[in-house]
Amino acid sequence: MENIAFLGLGNMGGPMAANLVKGGFAVTAFDPAAPALEQARQGGCAAADSAHAAASGADVVISMLPNGGIVKELYLGVRGLLQVLGPETRVIDCSTIAASDARQLIAAAGERGIRAIDAPVSGGTAAAAAGTLSFMCGGEASAVEAARPVLSAMGANIFHAGPAGCGQVAKICNNMLLAIHMIGTAEALQLGVDNGLDPKVLSDIMKASSGDNWSLDKYNPFPGVMEGVPASRGYSGGFSVALMLKDLGLAMDTAAGSATSTPLGALAKNLYQLHGGDDANRRLDFSSIQNLFRRPAGD
Ligand code: NAD
């Protein structure tokens, strides 16, 4: 069985590494945050005290990091991981980053004979825990095929989107659409509630009607409608407003690069910026956009 180095054990990486252990892989993990590393250790990973230590001797290096700057700092440059990995090592970056950053990483790896792919995910923390993530992969078909057994231990769907960077393009298209239907769902629910409807009754009606969508059905943003989602626990955990803003920024940069009109994506980014103007809101789950529409008590 292959040895895996897992770097970045946050909301997503922590449960993904735990599923690899459950799948029988030997996982050596690193995260600079001590509590995250300790949790991984309790989940059966070996804990390393640096990314280089975790990656030494690994067959596969997987990263799940907050942004492209951190990914590039980790792998590239004279002190980067690519300098110390052997050509037989395979790299799978699951972070959501710019497609151009993913291409740069994959090209730099290729120069050293290392096969790398971009493999961002969809499904959120619940799918990360359940091992049912969707992986959107970019890179050579043979590299994606080689990654399949490892990805299968963490996910239910593995798509080959196209050459290097295409996984990232698929991911930001998906998340731009997610932001748009989350905002639309929150707006519609508030309109109903402000006009005397119970949000659960309205949700049931729309789920059986033409307004049905993932935000309404699987991730309802109105508190009290659905159990087990961030709205039922004060919008804690889940996918933060800060990360959604990052993805919408990537979508807008990509749209600018291809001269594509994305008026709804731009509006969604503006609304999330308004909501995330308050630092506390940036840490909440992105379904907290519901609060932008709610009236203060007594209004
Ligand atoms: P997170 O902030 O919870 O976790 C990121 C982790 O990376 C942190 O524990 C941090 O300490 C660690 N880290 C930072 N620098 C590091 C380094 N140099 N080496 C090793 N670890 C390092 O973020 P998350 O929610 O787990 O998201 C991770 C990635 O997955 C992001 O790119 C995000 O956009 C994407 N994503 C998140 C979700 C979600 O629902 N949370 C869904 C899909 C995709």
Side-chain angles (χ1 to χ4, degrees), residues 16 22 25 30 35 64 69 78 100 106 113 133 173 192 195 197 207 235 237 255-256:
M16 289 165 71
K22 282 186 207 145
F25 291 97
F30 172 69
M64 191 52 164
V78 284
S100 54
I106 291 168
L133 289 167
C173 291
N195 286 277
L197 264 73
K207 280 188 324 197
Y235 299 110

Side-chain angles (χ1 to χ4, degrees), residues 7-13 30-33 36 51 64-67 70 74 94-96 121-122 124-125 171 238-239 243 246-247:
L7 312 175
L9 304 160
N11 290 331
M12 297 295 288
F30 172 69
D31 191 301
M64 191 52 164
L65 300 168
N67 59 54
I70 293 176
L74 177 70
C94 297
S95 327
T96 304
V121 306
S122 179
T125 49
K171 170 68 185 171
F239 181 52
L243 286 178
K246 177 193 71 168
D247 290 4

Side-chain angles (χ1 to χ4, degrees), residues 18-293:
N19 279 329
L20 286 170
V21 172
K22 282 186 207 145
F25 291 97
V27 182
T28 305
F30 172 69
D31 191 301
L37 193 55
E38 176 53 25
Q39 206 164 359
R41 207 182 54 75
Q42 285 174 14
C45 297
D49 58 11
S50 71
H52 281 69
S56 111
D59 300 301
V60 181
V61 177
I62 302 178
S63 42
M64 191 52 164
L65 300 168
N67 59 54
I70 293 176
V71 170
K72 288 201 287 185
E73 193 181 321
L74 177 70
Y75 286 105
L76 305 179
V78 284
R79 297 158 71 99
L81 270 187
L82 292 183
Q83 296 298 322
V84 297
L85 299 179
E88 68 290 346
T89 318
R90 303 193 317 272
V91 170
I92 305 174
D93 180 44
C94 297
S95 327
T96 304
I97 64 175
S100 54
D101 288 343
R103 287 186 200 110
Q104 189 182 345
L105 168 62
I106 291 168
E111 280 167 19
R112 296 188 58 81
I114 297 167
R115 284 192 295 171
I117 60 169
D118 52 306
V121 306
S122 179
T125 49
T132 56
L133 289 167
S134 290
F135 287 91
M136 308 167 196
C137 304
E140 285 177 15
S142 62
V144 173
E145 279 317 302
R148 200 171 277 276
V150 171
L151 299 180
S152 296
M154 303 180 282
N157 301 297
I158 298 152
F159 297 102
H160 183 203
C166 286
Q168 298 294 350
V169 176
K171 170 68 185 171
I172 52 114
C173 291
N174 181 74
N175 275 25
M176 184 180 80
L177 179 57
L178 169 64
I180 292 166
H181 64 63
M182 178 56 80
I183 293 168
T185 299
E187 184 177 306
L189 286 170
Q190 195 62 50
L191 178 63
V193 167
D194 288 349
N195 286 277
L197 264 73
D198 178 325
K200 186 163 181 355
V201 171
L202 177 56
S203 294
D204 287 343
I205 292 169
M206 294 195 294
K207 280 188 324 197
S209 307
S210 44
D212 191 24
N213 69 81
W214 187 91
S215 294
L216 180 73
D217 194 24
K218 301 273 193 325
Y219 213 89
N220 199 294
F222 210 96
V225 170
M226 192 179 278
E227 285 184 9
V229 293
S232 68
R233 48 174 194 264
Y235 299 110
S236 63
F239 181 52
S240 68
V241 167
L243 286 178
M244 177 53 94
L245 269 169
K246 177 193 71 168
D247 290 4
L248 289 168
L250 292 173
M252 293 305 100
D253 290 348
T254 306
S258 56
T260 305
S261 291
T262 50
L264 292 181
L267 180 57
K269 177 163 178 265
N270 269 290
L271 288 169
Y272 271 105
Q273 237 151 10
L274 197 61
H275 180 50
D278 177 335
D279 250 9
N281 284 348
R282 289 175 77 85
R283 288 189 285 275
L284 296 179
D285 178 74
F286 79 111
S287 62
S288 64
I289 195 79
Q290 187 70 58
N291 287 339
L292 200 62
F293 298 99

